[in-house]
Amino acid sequence: MFDEFGINAGYVEELHSRWQQSPASVDEGWRRFFEGAAPAPTRQGANGTRGSNGGNGQIAAAYREAVRETVHAANDSQTRVAQLVNAYRVRGHLLADLDPLDLTPPGQANLELSSVGLSDADLGTAFSTAGMSGLPDPAPLRDIVAFLRETYCGAIGVEFTHVEETEPREWLQQRMESTRNHASLDRAELLRIVTKLTDAEIFEQFIHKNYVGAKRFSLEGAESMIPLIDLLIEAAGAHGIEELVIGMAHRGRLNVLVNVMGKNVREIFAAFDDKRPERFLGGGDVKYHLGYSSDVVTGAGHAMHLSMAFNPSHLEWVNPVVEGRVRAKIDRRKRKSTMPLLVHGDASFMGQGVVAETLNLELLEGYSTGGTIHLVVNNQIGFTTVPGDSRSTRYCTDIARELRVPVFHVNGEDPEAVIQVTRLAVEYRQRFKQDVVIDMYCYRKYGHNEGDEPRFTQPVMYALIDKKAGVRDAYVARLVAAGHITREEADEIADWRRGTLEAALEDAREGDYQHMPQAMGGVWASYRGGSDAGTPEVPTTFPREALLEASDRLATMPGGFHASPKALKILEARRERAHSGHGLDWGAAEHLAFASILLDGHGIRISGQDARRGTFSHRHAVLFDAHSGEPYTPLAHLEQPGRLVGRFEIYDSPLSEASVMGFEYGYSLDRPDKLVVWEAQFGDFANTAQVILDQFIISAEDKWGRLSGLVLLLPHGFEGQGPEHSSARIERFLQLSAEDNIQVCNLTTPAQLFHALRRQVKRPWRKPLVIFTPKSLLRHHEAVSTLDELASGSFQRVIPDTSVAPEKVRSILLCSGKVFYDLADERKRLMREDVAIVRLEQYYPLSDALDRALAPYAPGTPVVWVQEEPRNMGAWYFVNARRDEIVRGRHPLSLVSRPESASPATGSKAAHDLEQKMLLEAAFAR
Ligand SMILES: Cc1ncc(C[n+]2csc(CCOP(=O)(O)OP(=O)(O)O)c2C)c(N)n1
Ligand SMILES: [Mg+2]
């Protein structure tokens, strides 16, 4: 309500509520101010327009006046106490006891009594504690200060007053103050924490002893993470969560796999022993990148499915993939019972931009997952780099302030405080459907990995760490001293754990426990990867009548909807052309492909920048009412009596490639039944998501045996639009093509797009499909297809040339994509009947379709690969390297292209036109 008072909003609100209860309890200045604002302003939500309302403007002016008066009046101690309380809520975290190494200097909190004009002399005076549950009312200032210190400056420091909405902020405040921010734990829970800490510690020690110097990225110093995740699962189960998807990096991952997810530790030992090289030649991944899933039952009896996402070394890049997976799971079940947990490192959370790009997805309609729990394992170091060199901010979590959600900083050496924030975090997420961040301060017992000497660079830090007792020891000592458990009980837990690991190690050395990740079951059971040739093609035809019906439906608006006349004209033209047998353009064929897929019962999800209209205004999947601005999506309103129609979703994404491509990739991992599409604005921008391409889309099957049917639509083509609006970097995708890992296409007709998209869902082969999509061809009068070509055609990997008599042909131009139309025009202009033009529509995997297309021509007829791209880009290096597959020794192969270049294209349209002319001349020179 008092948002415009910024950091003082809580304070003003507090005064206001006191004034409401008893006008005499606030000083005269404030009283006048609140009376002047009558009727009292209504509460504003997060989206309220600040300062736009006259009432609030008056409040602001009155506030300034009131502040002046407060300063001068100088005798309202109760007001000062309220200021102090507010200051603790806002800045108490700056004094909290967070750092187990005591290396972090306290912040300037200004919480001294003198900062609000109070003094020690006031400590015995009783003040009202209205609004502070957890204290008698009134209470002496001494008690109030002790209460505030305990709540806000103990082992937990909370940043929460920036939460804009009143309800969650007050809820959290009440929860923390009523408990002084302490978890109440019974003996069973204390024992569970000890057990989990013991599991964590003994596991690391056991590997340390048995695999000296082997990389494991020890959790030691941060062992509280294990009871944290263990109790998070408990809390999540109690709140109705049925599934947790975890994304995390190297640190402590093996520990989580074994001690939280129940992975068979024999498999981990076998991976350390690494005695099966023959199973992993050229493939597989290191043991701390592998994913896993398991089913557990919580202490309270709730069944919970746990998934740990496979992830690469590239820190933080798994985040959007996890979010996409969770969204897919939520969509599948139509219930919001899946929760993402992302575990971060302190250095990577602040350093990697994909973190901010992923946080930004959280409240968006197309990407929300109902809130993510973020856990930062803040060991106060990244490899050898200390926080002072890692970030410009105090907290490694400050990037999360973009979301205005609570951030709990907690001392990882206090497991009970860790449990308290975990419970608060889960409950907050469940209630308010937003992200929550836990920043667990800890330390790293060894170097970055176990072979690394940290004392080269952090001698002082490690002198402190060397003196540390260990998180478990310190906690056990505390519980023993408090009489909660005996030393013998604690030892027994450790002995038992050691014993089970000894036995498992013996088993591991006798048995066969090192394998590639298992093939996928469940929703993946009916799909396959592997080689292209191993999965037959399927028909992609669709009944003509049904396409006509769909095109009628797509051009029909609901009653009372006032579509833009221009958009309506486009839809109407599509409909007419379908009926009259005229050529359909790209947008029309794409729409009919989508419609046919939906009518076949498959869902479709598309996202990308401006995807709803389409960057080039060719799609118009969503129309907007001219009066209300309300959207209408014809594809979401297809009907089919007696048969299920798939769900159609299309979203304009935020201006991020990395997080959105990662999200859609993640989505495709859990929805193999759907057509999942990510579209680039221009293909040139896809490289900002290069990590998602290299580390996930391209290599996931080889490393992890994980499949995806994601479609990438990458506008590509040299049309004089400059270096960054021309190339989707075909060369890169082709260099990354191996072992039939992806499909790479450059299509020249709308019918080809229709069949390629249908093939992608109908064929059980799940491989990412990269389509270089056109720009000028979207409106090219020749780049059209008839309804019959859609209804009864099929996808052609190569389009042979049927327009010339093979025996006359003296030169074969082999090309792909848009340049075909330029070449065809030129041939017509030159009336060259001795030149054939063959189109390679699918670069990869190559097939014998090419052989068939070249077969009619006499052996020895030269084949010229013609591309618009510079020599070092486009497909030439790929074509040249695979010449044996392409011309099979029957034809000489040469190149016509732009000369090699460091930048894809010229910035001058005129230079582009000249280049293009020279290219065509060269192509027809022989
Ligand atoms: C994107 C990326 N850049 C660099 C690295 C190399 N690297 C591996 S771990 C690490 C330090 C990570 O520090 P932090 O995030 O604090 O995690 P910690 O190891 O301390 O748990 C670095 C720089 C990487 N794995 N990924
Ligand atoms: Mg770190």
Side-chain angles (χ1 to χ4, degrees), residues 359-385:
L359 289 172
N360 182 43
L361 298 180
E362 197 49 61
L363 291 180
L364 304 180
E365 185 198 349
Y367 308 88
S368 167
T369 52
T372 299
I373 308 269
H374 298 274
L375 165 63
V376 183
V377 179
N378 180 359
N379 55 17
Q380 310 185 65
I381 193 155
F383 211 142
T384 69
T385 304

mmCIF file of all heavy atoms in Angstrom, residues 359-385:
data_model
loop_
_atom_site.group_PDB
_atom_site.id
_atom_site.type_symbol
_atom_site.label_atom_id
_atom_site.label_comp_id
_atom_site.label_asym_id
_atom_site.label_seq_id
_atom_site.Cartn_x
_atom_site.Cartn_y
_atom_site.Cartn_z
ATOM 1 N N LEU A 359 15.977 -17.191 -14.577
ATOM 2 C CA LEU A 359 15.131 -16.622 -13.519
ATOM 3 C C LEU A 359 13.977 -15.838 -14.143
ATOM 4 O O LEU A 359 12.848 -15.885 -13.668
ATOM 5 C CB LEU A 359 15.956 -15.678 -12.631
ATOM 6 C CG LEU A 359 16.994 -16.315 -11.706
ATOM 7 C CD1 LEU A 359 17.864 -15.236 -11.054
ATOM 8 C CD2 LEU A 359 16.317 -17.157 -10.624
ATOM 9 N N ASN A 360 14.283 -15.152 -15.228
ATOM 10 C CA ASN A 360 13.281 -14.301 -15.862
ATOM 11 C C ASN A 360 12.103 -15.079 -16.450
ATOM 12 O O ASN A 360 11.056 -14.523 -16.747
ATOM 13 C CB ASN A 360 13.955 -13.468 -16.963
ATOM 14 C CG ASN A 360 13.002 -12.518 -17.635
ATOM 15 O OD1 ASN A 360 12.209 -11.866 -16.954
ATOM 16 N ND2 ASN A 360 13.025 -12.456 -18.944
ATOM 17 N N LEU A 361 12.240 -16.382 -16.602
ATOM 18 C CA LEU A 361 11.138 -17.168 -17.168
ATOM 19 C C LEU A 361 10.029 -17.414 -16.147
ATOM 20 O O LEU A 361 8.898 -17.737 -16.504
ATOM 21 C CB LEU A 361 11.652 -18.534 -17.649
ATOM 22 C CG LEU A 361 12.706 -18.539 -18.765
ATOM 23 C CD1 LEU A 361 13.100 -19.973 -19.098
ATOM 24 C CD2 LEU A 361 12.161 -17.848 -20.017
ATOM 25 N N GLU A 362 10.391 -17.279 -14.876
ATOM 26 C CA GLU A 362 9.604 -17.928 -13.854
ATOM 27 C C GLU A 362 8.137 -17.531 -13.767
ATOM 28 O O GLU A 362 7.287 -18.361 -13.484
ATOM 29 C CB GLU A 362 10.277 -17.742 -12.494
ATOM 30 C CG GLU A 362 9.773 -18.698 -11.444
ATOM 31 C CD GLU A 362 9.747 -20.169 -11.890
ATOM 32 O OE1 GLU A 362 10.815 -20.702 -12.217
ATOM 33 O OE2 GLU A 362 8.669 -20.772 -11.914
ATOM 34 N N LEU A 363 7.822 -16.278 -14.029
ATOM 35 C CA LEU A 363 6.407 -15.908 -13.882
ATOM 36 C C LEU A 363 5.702 -15.748 -15.227
ATOM 37 O O LEU A 363 4.584 -15.256 -15.288
ATOM 38 C CB LEU A 363 6.281 -14.625 -13.065
ATOM 39 C CG LEU A 363 6.666 -14.770 -11.587
ATOM 40 C CD1 LEU A 363 6.503 -13.451 -10.856
ATOM 41 C CD2 LEU A 363 5.825 -15.847 -10.906
ATOM 42 N N LEU A 364 6.352 -16.181 -16.291
ATOM 43 C CA LEU A 364 5.749 -16.001 -17.609
ATOM 44 C C LEU A 364 4.796 -17.157 -17.926
ATOM 45 O O LEU A 364 5.111 -18.319 -17.666
ATOM 46 C CB LEU A 364 6.843 -15.934 -18.672
ATOM 47 C CG LEU A 364 7.897 -14.836 -18.437
ATOM 48 C CD1 LEU A 364 8.940 -14.862 -19.538
ATOM 49 C CD2 LEU A 364 7.235 -13.467 -18.363
ATOM 50 N N GLU A 365 3.681 -16.809 -18.516
ATOM 51 C CA GLU A 365 2.633 -17.786 -18.785
ATOM 52 C C GLU A 365 3.152 -19.044 -19.490
ATOM 53 O O GLU A 365 2.796 -20.163 -19.135
ATOM 54 C CB GLU A 365 1.558 -17.119 -19.650
ATOM 55 C CG GLU A 365 0.351 -18.005 -19.889
ATOM 56 C CD GLU A 365 -0.484 -17.525 -21.075
ATOM 57 O OE1 GLU A 365 -0.251 -16.415 -21.568
ATOM 58 O OE2 GLU A 365 -1.361 -18.305 -21.505
ATOM 59 N N GLY A 366 4.005 -18.844 -20.457
ATOM 60 C CA GLY A 366 4.462 -19.989 -21.241
ATOM 61 C C GLY A 366 5.550 -20.809 -20.577
ATOM 62 O O GLY A 366 5.901 -21.877 -21.077
ATOM 63 N N TYR A 367 6.103 -20.334 -19.482
ATOM 64 C CA TYR A 367 7.299 -20.976 -18.944
ATOM 65 C C TYR A 367 7.257 -21.230 -17.441
ATOM 66 O O TYR A 367 8.167 -21.837 -16.887
ATOM 67 C CB TYR A 367 8.533 -20.101 -19.258
ATOM 68 C CG TYR A 367 8.614 -19.738 -20.716
ATOM 69 C CD1 TYR A 367 7.974 -18.601 -21.209
ATOM 70 C CD2 TYR A 367 9.271 -20.565 -21.612
ATOM 71 C CE1 TYR A 367 8.003 -18.288 -22.560
ATOM 72 C CE2 TYR A 367 9.310 -20.260 -22.971
ATOM 73 C CZ TYR A 367 8.674 -19.116 -23.431
ATOM 74 O OH TYR A 367 8.698 -18.815 -24.767
ATOM 75 N N SER A 368 6.214 -20.752 -16.782
ATOM 76 C CA SER A 368 6.193 -20.859 -15.330
ATOM 77 C C SER A 368 6.141 -22.315 -14.880
ATOM 78 O O SER A 368 5.521 -23.167 -15.508
ATOM 79 C CB SER A 368 4.963 -20.124 -14.794
ATOM 80 O OG SER A 368 4.785 -20.477 -13.451
ATOM 81 N N THR A 369 6.823 -22.597 -13.770
ATOM 82 C CA THR A 369 6.758 -23.938 -13.197
ATOM 83 C C THR A 369 6.261 -23.875 -11.759
ATOM 84 O O THR A 369 6.519 -24.773 -10.967
ATOM 85 C CB THR A 369 8.145 -24.613 -13.216
ATOM 86 O OG1 THR A 369 9.091 -23.727 -12.601
ATOM 87 C CG2 THR A 369 8.590 -24.927 -14.627
ATOM 88 N N GLY A 370 5.606 -22.790 -11.425
ATOM 89 C CA GLY A 370 5.064 -22.682 -10.073
ATOM 90 C C GLY A 370 6.127 -22.397 -9.028
ATOM 91 O O GLY A 370 5.900 -22.591 -7.844
ATOM 92 N N GLY A 371 7.277 -21.932 -9.444
ATOM 93 C CA GLY A 371 8.328 -21.568 -8.491
ATOM 94 C C GLY A 371 9.425 -22.607 -8.406
ATOM 95 O O GLY A 371 9.158 -23.806 -8.411
ATOM 96 N N THR A 372 10.642 -22.120 -8.340
ATOM 97 C CA THR A 372 11.815 -22.990 -8.245
ATOM 98 C C THR A 372 12.486 -22.754 -6.907
ATOM 99 O O THR A 372 12.568 -21.614 -6.456
ATOM 100 C CB THR A 372 12.801 -22.638 -9.380
ATOM 101 O OG1 THR A 372 12.155 -22.850 -10.630
ATOM 102 C CG2 THR A 372 14.069 -23.474 -9.296
ATOM 103 N N ILE A 373 12.950 -23.833 -6.291
ATOM 104 C CA ILE A 373 13.788 -23.656 -5.106
ATOM 105 C C ILE A 373 15.233 -23.603 -5.582
ATOM 106 O O ILE A 373 15.701 -24.542 -6.247
ATOM 107 C CB ILE A 373 13.629 -24.821 -4.107
ATOM 108 C CG1 ILE A 373 12.173 -25.064 -3.782
ATOM 109 C CG2 ILE A 373 14.489 -24.567 -2.866
ATOM 110 C CD1 ILE A 373 11.607 -24.335 -2.615
ATOM 111 N N HIS A 374 15.908 -22.537 -5.286
ATOM 112 C CA HIS A 374 17.324 -22.397 -5.625
ATOM 113 C C HIS A 374 18.150 -22.603 -4.360
ATOM 114 O O HIS A 374 17.900 -21.943 -3.353
ATOM 115 C CB HIS A 374 17.617 -20.995 -6.167
ATOM 116 C CG HIS A 374 16.881 -20.682 -7.425
ATOM 117 N ND1 HIS A 374 17.345 -21.024 -8.672
ATOM 118 C CD2 HIS A 374 15.688 -20.067 -7.632
ATOM 119 C CE1 HIS A 374 16.481 -20.631 -9.590
ATOM 120 N NE2 HIS A 374 15.464 -20.051 -8.989
ATOM 121 N N LEU A 375 19.109 -23.479 -4.444
ATOM 122 C CA LEU A 375 20.033 -23.662 -3.326
ATOM 123 C C LEU A 375 21.430 -23.325 -3.819
ATOM 124 O O LEU A 375 21.937 -23.957 -4.744
ATOM 125 C CB LEU A 375 19.997 -25.123 -2.852
ATOM 126 C CG LEU A 375 21.162 -25.529 -1.944
ATOM 127 C CD1 LEU A 375 21.166 -24.731 -0.650
ATOM 128 C CD2 LEU A 375 21.109 -27.022 -1.641
ATOM 129 N N VAL A 376 22.023 -22.314 -3.227
ATOM 130 C CA VAL A 376 23.400 -21.995 -3.583
ATOM 131 C C VAL A 376 24.316 -22.600 -2.525
ATOM 132 O O VAL A 376 24.198 -22.274 -1.339
ATOM 133 C CB VAL A 376 23.632 -20.476 -3.659
ATOM 134 C CG1 VAL A 376 25.062 -20.193 -4.112
ATOM 135 C CG2 VAL A 376 22.634 -19.841 -4.608
ATOM 136 N N VAL A 377 25.163 -23.519 -2.958
ATOM 137 C CA VAL A 377 26.154 -24.088 -2.039
ATOM 138 C C VAL A 377 27.325 -23.110 -2.052
ATOM 139 O O VAL A 377 28.197 -23.150 -2.914
ATOM 140 C CB VAL A 377 26.568 -25.497 -2.493
ATOM 141 C CG1 VAL A 377 27.616 -26.074 -1.556
ATOM 142 C CG2 VAL A 377 25.343 -26.395 -2.523
ATOM 143 N N ASN A 378 27.257 -22.204 -1.098
ATOM 144 C CA ASN A 378 28.161 -21.049 -1.100
ATOM 145 C C ASN A 378 29.401 -21.364 -0.270
ATOM 146 O O ASN A 378 29.469 -21.044 0.922
ATOM 147 C CB ASN A 378 27.389 -19.843 -0.550
ATOM 148 C CG ASN A 378 28.253 -18.601 -0.519
ATOM 149 O OD1 ASN A 378 29.435 -18.635 -0.882
ATOM 150 N ND2 ASN A 378 27.664 -17.507 -0.075
ATOM 151 N N ASN A 379 30.359 -22.005 -0.930
ATOM 152 C CA ASN A 379 31.603 -22.334 -0.214
ATOM 153 C C ASN A 379 32.605 -21.190 -0.304
ATOM 154 O O ASN A 379 33.770 -21.343 0.035
ATOM 155 C CB ASN A 379 32.187 -23.654 -0.703
ATOM 156 C CG ASN A 379 32.396 -23.653 -2.212
ATOM 157 O OD1 ASN A 379 32.401 -22.597 -2.847
ATOM 158 N ND2 ASN A 379 32.562 -24.830 -2.786
ATOM 159 N N GLN A 380 32.166 -20.067 -0.753
ATOM 160 C CA GLN A 380 32.933 -18.827 -0.742
ATOM 161 C C GLN A 380 34.186 -18.898 -1.598
ATOM 162 O O GLN A 380 35.168 -18.220 -1.338
ATOM 163 C CB GLN A 380 33.287 -18.430 0.696
ATOM 164 C CG GLN A 380 32.053 -18.470 1.592
ATOM 165 C CD GLN A 380 32.347 -17.967 2.972
ATOM 166 O OE1 GLN A 380 32.671 -16.808 3.156
ATOM 167 N NE2 GLN A 380 32.238 -18.838 3.948
ATOM 168 N N ILE A 381 34.114 -19.733 -2.609
ATOM 169 C CA ILE A 381 35.231 -19.804 -3.540
ATOM 170 C C ILE A 381 34.761 -20.449 -4.839
ATOM 171 O O ILE A 381 33.829 -21.264 -4.831
ATOM 172 C CB ILE A 381 36.404 -20.597 -2.913
ATOM 173 C CG1 ILE A 381 37.684 -20.405 -3.721
ATOM 174 C CG2 ILE A 381 36.065 -22.078 -2.745
ATOM 175 C CD1 ILE A 381 38.942 -20.604 -2.944
ATOM 176 N N GLY A 382 35.371 -20.056 -5.939
ATOM 177 C CA GLY A 382 35.128 -20.703 -7.221
ATOM 178 C C GLY A 382 36.478 -21.100 -7.778
ATOM 179 O O GLY A 382 37.247 -20.235 -8.191
ATOM 180 N N PHE A 383 36.779 -22.364 -7.696
ATOM 181 C CA PHE A 383 38.097 -22.897 -8.098
ATOM 182 C C PHE A 383 39.189 -22.250 -7.230
ATOM 183 O O PHE A 383 39.392 -22.682 -6.104
ATOM 184 C CB PHE A 383 38.341 -22.672 -9.595
ATOM 185 C CG PHE A 383 39.188 -23.745 -10.219
ATOM 186 C CD1 PHE A 383 38.925 -24.198 -11.505
ATOM 187 C CD2 PHE A 383 40.271 -24.312 -9.537
ATOM 188 C CE1 PHE A 383 39.705 -25.193 -12.095
ATOM 189 C CE2 PHE A 383 41.057 -25.302 -10.129
ATOM 190 C CZ PHE A 383 40.769 -25.731 -11.404
ATOM 191 N N THR A 384 39.849 -21.180 -7.703
ATOM 192 C CA THR A 384 40.800 -20.501 -6.810
ATOM 193 C C THR A 384 40.391 -19.050 -6.575
ATOM 194 O O THR A 384 41.123 -18.291 -5.950
ATOM 195 C CB THR A 384 42.223 -20.477 -7.415
ATOM 196 O OG1 THR A 384 42.212 -19.594 -8.548
ATOM 197 C CG2 THR A 384 42.700 -21.847 -7.836
ATOM 198 N N THR A 385 39.242 -18.668 -7.088
ATOM 199 C CA THR A 385 38.869 -17.248 -7.085
ATOM 200 C C THR A 385 37.928 -16.920 -5.924
ATOM 201 O O THR A 385 36.927 -17.608 -5.718
ATOM 202 C CB THR A 385 38.215 -16.888 -8.435
ATOM 203 O OG1 THR A 385 39.127 -17.234 -9.464
ATOM 204 C CG2 THR A 385 37.893 -15.412 -8.521
#
